[in-house]
Amino acid sequence: MAERTARQPELAFYILKEHLPPMTKIPESALQALRAVADPKSILPEDAWAPHLEEWRGRWPGETPLVLAPGSTEELSRIMAAAYAHGVAVVPQGGNTGLVGGGAAKGEVIITTKRLRKVRDVSPEGFTMTLEAGITLQEAQQEAEKADRLFPLSIGAEGTANIGGVLSTNAGGVHVLRYGNARDLALGLEVVLPDGRIWEGLNALRKNNTGYDLKHLFIGGEGTLGIITAAVLKLYPRPKDHVTAFLAVPSPEHAVKLLSMAQDRSGGQLGSFELMNAGTVDLVLEHFPDLPRPVKERAPWYVLMEFASGQKGILAQVAGGILENAFEEGLVSDGTIATSEAQARALWTIRHNASEAMKNDPSPCVKCDVSVPIASIPAFLRRADETVHGMEPGARIIAFGHMGDGNIHYDILGPKDGPHDAWRARMTDFEHSIHDVVVEFGGSISAEHGIGQLKRDELAERKSPVEMDLMRAIKHAIDPKGLMNPGKLLG
Ligand SMILES: Cc1cc2nc3c(=O)[nH]c(=O)nc-3n(C[C@H](O)[C@H](O)[C@H](O)COP(=O)(O)OP(=O)(O)OC[C@H]3O[C@@H](n4cnc5c(N)ncnc54)[C@H](O)[C@@H]3O)c2cc1C
């Protein structure tokens, strides 16, 4: 394992915050000040708090004295100004599907954006739509579809994750290869700052070269700088034709060659390229036995790829030619090409249910959402497997992810039967060891899920002191009292 050295935080406010005792109780008078400026409808009764205190993986149980769901940007602005005046720390929440503990409260006031649900504008001609933060990602896709346009961001949790949440975590998903991640899909933002001021950055400009592009601080900022209340999002022409194929491939090396060939020959029509090891597909089929086995024989690796085109008719020929060549060249050993939308959906369900299958499994799971340069994926996977099996010969490895973006979810399942205490005690060791391998290959310890609480301490160790200084300086400039989502991302 590479040696990791803890770097000294260099800014005083950071050192102080790192050594703060656990959240002190917020005085009732301060909570009352927040209630006083909120609409009564925005103050959630205690029996409605449960979904805001349960984190998806059950790893960070929440605790709060108050959950507020403001119905407008102006109301949120009043609440934040009161919180600032009384030194009340807040945790923003969207759909609460984040996987790194970023939305979990430890005594702070929770502010959910779930009542910010207006569609402010849809412009098919301008290829934009302006949505409030509490609209779910799936609803956003549907809004685009109504205007015969595509909003391409798509993730497994899209029925619940909100626009504010996906922007704050800079979510990725299955179409990054062609359209980029959340950061690439936002033109403008409206944000309520920690002191209650509203930053009105809702422009729909494709070119706006006027200095620092502030929206990129809040996108991926995980709620540590302000609360996103609305966004102008980019739309695209809706593909009129799809070809979806689930393929058996002998190895990740073969998958890299297939990816390169498909990109090269499809003229930009490759939309998704997902890799899964046999363990992933076995686990999904074990937990969702009604799903069809995608190819006849069990294979060591699988690829789910999708081509999409704006024109009907030509795609089958293009994709068919590529797949035929892939078979001839031995890159693919078997496969299923969807012949209907229902079949394509079933193939995608196998991929989308990977996280759910792991959640349903009784084994404890170490999840590493990492990225490395695409060409290094095979070597990375080999080194990571050697590392894990060196630590625990029987460990089950569930490796899958958005290979077209160099993003692998490298997960390690412990034994099915408990007790799991000894295994759980080693989870951090496994994570760090995999992250060491990631760094060896010039990769990132968080590809798309973010930092939250899960990777906060490691972030400070892995990033350069200069980069950490810049990030802390930005945090201090925008949130000098450290009231926005404390303990997340930077501490
Ligand atoms: C089954 C499953 C599949 C997933 N697949 C993917 C995937 O393919 N790709 C991917 O990238 N992620 C994936 N995720 C992770 C998760 O869905 C994303 O991180 C998502 O973007 C979070 O959105 P949310 O609305 O649930 O945010 P939350 O979980 O509520 O919040 C996430 C973070 O953003 C902050 N936040 C929320 N709303 C705001 C706001 N309006 N302003 C400022 N800060 C805010 C929170 O404080 C927190 O730090 C998956 C999760 C699950 C459960």
Side-chain angles (χ1 to χ4, degrees):
M1 198 205 289
E3 199 184 323
R4 286 176 296 107
T5 52
R7 295 194 178 99
Q8 288 300 314
E10 281 158 33
L11 294 182
F13 68 88
Y14 186 68
I15 297 169
L16 284 175
K17 275 187 55 52
E18 277 228 307
H19 293 92
L20 276 180
M23 268 287 295
T24 45
K25 204 165 169 280
I26 301 171
E28 180 50 34
S29 56
L31 295 174
Q32 198 42 44
L34 268 63
R35 287 191 201 100
V37 293
D39 184 321
K41 278 204 296 251
S42 310
I43 305 167
L44 297 198
E46 245 177 271
D47 60 6
W49 289 4
H52 301 282
L53 300 176
E54 288 158 13
E55 181 268 332
W56 200 77
R57 291 166 69 187
R59 196 161 167 178
W60 295 277
E63 203 188 317
T64 188
L66 182 63
V67 182
L68 295 174
S72 70
T73 303
E74 293 67 30
E75 185 191 354
L76 175 59
S77 160
R78 291 196 302 273
I79 292 169
M80 293 298 285
Y84 191 76
H86 290 83
V88 174
V90 302
V91 174
Q93 261 186 18
N96 203 14
T97 67
L99 295 174
V100 291
K106 289 182 304 210
E108 302 90 346
V109 169
I110 293 175
I111 299 193
T112 166
T113 55
K114 68 180 179 189
R115 289 183 58 236
L116 298 177
R117 294 195 31 84
K118 284 195 198 78
V119 175
R120 295 198 192 167
D121 181 53
V122 179
S123 167
E125 300 80 16
F127 284 82
T128 60
M129 61 181 177
T130 307
L131 304 183
E132 291 193 348
I135 287 177
T136 69
L137 180 51
Q138 196 169 57
E139 289 166 339
Q141 295 161 354
Q142 287 162 354
E143 276 309 319
E145 204 172 319
K146 277 193 243 162
D148 194 27
R149 294 290 178 259
L150 173 76
F151 182 59
L153 193 68
S154 176
I155 64 174
E158 62 199 22
T160 313
N162 289 185
I163 288 302
V166 298
L167 288 169
S168 301
T169 55
N170 185 26
V174 295
H175 294 143
V176 174
L177 179 62
R178 186 156 173 184
Y179 298 102
N181 44 34
R183 192 182 289 291
D184 302 303
L185 298 171
L187 291 171
L189 290 186
E190 178 185 86
V191 179
V192 176
L193 299 173
D195 61 7
R197 282 179 300 161
I198 300 171
W199 174 51
E200 310 218 11
L202 278 181
N203 73 72
L205 303 172
R206 309 248 163 192
K207 286 189 166 183
N208 179 17
N209 219 352
T210 52
Y212 306 134
D213 196 341
L214 296 178
K215 65 176 177 288
H216 288 304
L217 294 177
F218 300 97
I219 299 173
E222 301 186 29
T224 61
L225 299 176
I227 302 186
I228 297 173
T229 47
V232 183
L233 302 169
K234 281 189 203 168
L235 299 178
Y236 288 84
R238 222 153 71 81
K240 306 287 185 288
D241 204 3
H242 289 94
V243 171
T244 307
F246 206 109
L247 307 167
V249 294
S251 72
E253 280 85 354
H254 290 81
V256 169
K257 286 191 184 138
L258 176 62
L259 169 62
S260 165
M261 179 205 266
Q263 278 188 300
D264 206 32
R265 298 199 199 160
S266 69
Q269 296 181 110
L270 182 64
S272 305
F273 194 98
E274 302 286 308
L275 181 74
M276 283 159 273
N277 70 354
T280 308
V281 174
D282 292 347
L283 192 76
V284 172
L285 296 180
E286 181 188 331
H287 288 280
F288 299 93
D290 293 341
L291 287 173
R293 178 160 274 287
V295 291
K296 260 197 244 117
E297 300 292 329
R298 185 177 185 269
W301 292 91
Y302 302 90
V303 161
L304 175 60
M305 64 199 291
E306 188 169 272
F307 299 89
S309 167
Q311 279 177 292
K312 255 200 155 359
I314 53 164
L315 195 60
Q317 213 182 345
V318 175
I322 291 169
L323 293 177
E324 213 175 289
N325 284 350
F327 275 105
E328 282 163 12
E329 290 179 24
L331 300 180
V332 171
S333 58
D334 195 2
T336 300
I337 300 179
T339 51
S340 66
E341 257 190 49
Q343 207 180 4
R345 261 199 309 278
L347 295 178
W348 269 110
T349 306
I350 296 171
R351 165 62 187 88
H352 280 316
N353 282 3
S355 299
E356 198 75 38
M358 262 177 294
K359 189 182 179 198
N360 295 347
D361 202 83
S363 320
C365 177
V366 176
K367 288 172 88 69
C368 301
D369 159 47
V370 299
S371 66
V372 293
I374 292 168
S376 302
I377 288 177
F380 160 74
L381 287 168
R382 256 195 316 277
R383 281 278 296 116
D385 288 2
E386 280 164 18
T387 303
V388 170
H389 288 139
M391 294 172 74
E392 182 65 49
R396 280 181 295 159
I397 292 165
I398 307 294
F400 63 101
H402 317 296
M403 187 181 187
D405 320 323
N407 177 188
I408 299 293
H409 299 305
Y410 190 90
D411 300 341
I412 308 158
L413 283 187
K416 268 197 195 303
D417 300 323
H420 292 129
D421 296 353
W423 176 271
R424 284 192 202 286
R426 298 173 66 202
M427 282 169 84
T428 311
D429 275 352
F430 278 115
E431 267 161 19
H432 282 187
S433 302
I434 294 305
H435 291 164
D436 284 339
V437 180
V438 166
V439 170
E440 248 177 68
F441 285 93
S444 166
I445 63 163
S446 177
E448 61 175 8
H449 293 162
I451 299 298
Q453 300 181 60
L454 181 66
K455 296 179 181 174
R456 181 197 58 199
D457 296 339
E458 249 198 294
L459 185 81
E461 294 173 20
R462 306 276 182 186
K463 280 209 187 264
S464 74
V466 172
E467 204 169 347
M468 288 306 294
D469 271 2
L470 291 173
M471 284 173 65
R472 289 172 189 136
I474 290 165
K475 166 78 174 166
H476 188 55
I478 298 177
D479 181 24
K481 295 190 181 179
L483 298 176
M484 285 304 309
N485 214 0
K488 319 293 166 52
L489 187 56
L490 289 178

